[in-house]
Amino acid sequence: MTEHPITDAFAAPRAGSDALRFLRAWAAAPLVTGAQLPSGRQLARAMAAAVDPAIPGVVVELGPGTGIITGALIARGVAADRLVLVEANPAFCTLLAARYPGAQLMAGDAYQAPRALKAAGVGPVAAIVSGLPLRTQKPRRRQCLLLECLKLAAPGAPFVQFTYFYNSLIPVSDAVIASDVSPVLWRNLWPARVWRYRLHRRTQT
Ligand SMILES: C[S@@+](CC[C@H](N)C(=O)[O-])C[C@H]1O[C@@H](n2cnc3c(N)ncnc32)[C@H](O)[C@@H]1O
């Protein structure tokens, strides 16, 4: 996983060109890209609303793509220099680097992120926000990612994930994880729900 600070000038996301970028990325690697289009504004805002900017620490975004949720997080009050963006697609990494100066970019596999973050001494983690296409991974791997991320997180900090499916894509034991979910966001293509997971306090060490 390569790490470098983002220093280029800010450029606001442009919906039309981002749709084209996504279509291209999806045609080249559908399972990694996970969607033909970036999330819409309603979903991006709902993801950001699940984060409390007052919790101190970094906000880790897994699979930021072209950065629509990143922009919503900044609009919510998370300063760009609190963001750690973990993205596998090199073209999206280049775009994110140009758009979000001050954020830290980790180009690579989000499933390696907990170990990389720990090794780099990044933290405390105030929230993990994920747009990863989880269906391409085995349920056990999804669950491991959730637990490894939450173990890095500050008490009460959430792991936030959207899904186009009605049920949680991460199998969770109610004894370990508390979860809540948004209503269906019908204005997104495809309609989606936002899940928020937290470790029960007694589980957090
Ligand atoms: C469904 S798109 C969501 C993009 C963006 N968050 C949004 O809502 O528009 C999934 C994103 O996750 C990235 N991705 C998929 N697997 C990944 C992995 N293992 N590590 C890092 N990024 C990954 C894809 O390249 C893509 O940018």
Side-chain angles (χ1 to χ4, degrees):
M1 186 169 290
T2 6
E3 279 179 54
H4 50 88
I6 298 170
T7 49
D8 296 358
F10 176 79
R14 293 174 54 196
S17 44
D18 282 358
L20 266 179
R21 287 185 179 100
F22 246 86
L23 266 177
R24 258 189 240 123
W26 179 79
L31 295 183
V32 177
T33 310
Q36 291 97 331
L37 291 172
S39 297
R41 283 171 196 275
Q42 183 195 33
L43 175 54
R45 275 197 292 264
M47 292 288 282
V51 173
D52 178 357
I55 298 181
V58 299
V59 173
V60 179
E61 188 180 355
L62 307 177
T66 50
I68 178 101
I69 295 172
T70 320
L73 286 166
I74 292 171
R76 170 114 174 105
V78 179
D81 62 7
R82 290 178 60 196
L83 290 169
V84 180
L85 311 176
V86 186
E87 174 55 58
N89 178 319
F92 289 165
C93 286
T94 304
L95 189 70
L96 292 164
R99 280 189 175 159
Y100 298 107
Q104 186 177 331
L105 180 64
M106 298 176 93
D109 181 8
Y111 292 86
Q112 306 301 324
R115 203 179 317 158
L117 291 167
K118 207 170 173 182
V122 174
V125 176
I128 303 97
V129 176
S130 166
L132 293 174
L134 294 178
R135 284 277 284 198
T136 55
Q137 305 295 328
K138 293 206 165 95
R140 176 87 188 121
R141 197 165 192 228
R142 304 173 201 163
Q143 196 178 42
C144 283
L145 178 68
L146 172 71
L147 288 171
E148 285 170 11
C149 285
L150 283 179
K151 282 182 180 159
L152 291 180
F159 182 108
V160 184
Q161 171 78 48
F162 76 77
T163 169
Y164 306 130
F165 297 85
Y166 194 79
N167 293 322
S168 170
L169 287 186
I170 309 182
V172 290
S173 151
D174 290 345
V176 180
I177 301 284
S179 62
D180 56 74
V181 64
S182 75
V184 178
L185 303 171
W186 291 103
R187 293 212 304 274
N188 199 66
L189 186 66
W190 306 95
R193 300 176 94 195
V194 173
W195 285 85
R196 183 165 51 172
Y197 307 90
R198 289 193 179 92
L199 280 183
H200 284 304
R201 284 187 190 271
R202 63 178 175 279
T203 320
Q204 206 138 21
T205 48

